[in-house]
Amino acid sequence: MQTAIELIGLPSDSNSSFERGAAMAPPLIRAALWSDRGNLACENGMEVGRDFELRDRGDLQLLEQPEDDGLIAAAVSDVVASGAVPLVLGGDHAMTHPVVRALHAVHGPLTILHVDAHPDLYADFESNPRSHASPFARIMEAGLARRLAQVGIRTMNAHCREQAARYGVEVLPMADFAASKVPVLEGPLYISIDLDGIDPGEAPGVSHPEPGGLTVREVLAVLRRQTARVIGADVVEYNPRFDSNERTAIVAAKLVRELAALIAQNSARG
């Protein structure tokens, strides 16, 4: 039986700081994913449509209000109830909290692999506890994850270091980074990729570019190490306002395809 993976677009950036624009991302990531400029082959040898299904639920109609968290959680729960695995297109990173909350209700405490330039552990960024700079504080304080490993971090201030210590977060900073240092995590595994974890030379279309980041190849090497069952994933924080020749949309689409292939591959392992 083929693994079914379902895309959900979450076109919201109401919890972004500094710049908005990530709400425009989901349709553009889809356009790059299905574009005839490439094909649907994945690096593990699988092909979309042949070895696994990649269905699309379209974009959720969000209100740009706190009620959106409930709408997001309900949509994810519906995907899981259908027997599929949710693969979410952001939008800003705030949406990871309600997605993880919905998955926790089914699977219990998760293990999370988080790729980002920023740890997103602020207790209350700019008086907004739902900020895109705070989702992992909300996740960890609620006990939704038993383990959180963060890769690509290069903006760790004192407050976030304190938060990481408080919640036992495993931070793998960019200084002296090697993919081989990233742990092979146990399941159930959730993977969250903020595109600003990648160096802006390869992914310029983000709101908070931070030099000295991961290459796409390094991100793929990190994913390739993971053997656990993946019960959900997201690709977030693409901001088309700052993209160049669709470069970041193409990167996002590549990551969506490879995440889907990883979900299918690891599901087949049992």
Side-chain angles (χ1 to χ4, degrees):
M1 181 178 178
Q2 284 190 339
T3 301
I5 300 152
E6 293 202 357
L7 299 175
I8 310 174
L10 300 180
S12 175
D13 55 19
S14 61
N15 291 295
S16 295
S17 60
F18 185 62
E19 296 283 1
R20 298 190 65 167
M24 299 184 290
L28 298 176
I29 296 173
R30 285 191 191 90
L33 177 64
W34 304 118
S35 171
D36 288 340
R37 73 164 55 88
N39 61 38
L40 297 176
C42 308
E43 293 196 7
N44 66 0
M46 289 182 159
E47 295 181 26
V48 179
R50 185 193 71 178
D51 300 295
F52 59 89
E53 294 182 76
L54 185 55
R55 304 193 293 246
D56 194 348
R57 291 207 171 203
D59 290 347
L60 199 61
Q61 298 302 305
L62 299 174
L63 308 172
E64 300 284 3
Q65 298 291 333
E67 292 80 7
D68 284 350
D69 286 359
L71 296 174
I72 293 167
V76 170
S77 297
D78 192 44
V79 169
V80 175
S82 76
V85 177
L87 207 172
V88 178
L89 309 178
D92 68 34
H93 220 156
M95 42 69 54
T96 298
H97 173 218
V99 172
V100 167
R101 178 156 53 85
L103 291 170
H104 173 270
V106 177
H107 299 286
L110 311 180
T111 300
I112 300 177
L113 174 61
H114 170 207
V115 176
D116 206 324
H118 317 90
D120 292 353
L121 286 166
Y122 282 93
D124 184 7
F125 191 74
E126 296 181 343
S127 301
N128 178 15
R130 296 175 65 244
S131 169
H132 71 158
S134 300
F136 292 96
R138 302 289 80 81
I139 287 167
M140 298 307 288
E141 72 187 8
L144 304 181
R146 64 171 176 262
R147 187 176 184 185
L148 170 59
Q150 299 186 321
V151 178
I153 306 301
R154 49 197 188 277
T155 61
M156 201 82 167
N157 63 16
H159 171 70
C160 287
R161 284 196 298 272
E162 292 168 1
Q163 288 283 89
R166 175 183 181 184
Y167 295 120
V169 179
E170 299 167 59
V171 180
L172 291 93
M174 278 310 301
D176 302 316
F177 176 81
S180 60
K181 295 180 180 179
V182 178
V184 178
L185 298 166
E186 68 279 6
L189 178 62
Y190 185 83
I191 301 174
S192 180
I193 300 180
D194 184 323
L195 289 163
D196 68 30
I198 298 169
D199 190 83
E202 293 194 37
V206 296
S207 298
H208 299 268
E210 185 65 33
L214 296 158
T215 65
V216 173
R217 180 50 51 194
E218 285 172 327
V219 174
L220 295 175
V222 169
L223 296 180
R224 194 178 184 89
R225 287 177 58 77
Q226 304 308 317
T227 58
R229 180 185 175 209
V230 181
I231 47 79
D234 64 61
V235 177
V236 300
E237 295 286 353
Y238 169 44
N239 191 332
R241 292 177 54 216
F242 305 111
D243 207 2
S244 172
N245 297 322
E246 303 176 37
R247 288 166 60 195
T248 313
I250 294 167
V251 168
K254 168 78 168 178
L255 293 173
V256 167
R257 193 166 64 246
E258 295 302 326
L259 282 167
L262 181 67
I263 291 168
Q265 172 184 283
N266 290 6
S267 294
R269 287 173 172 163

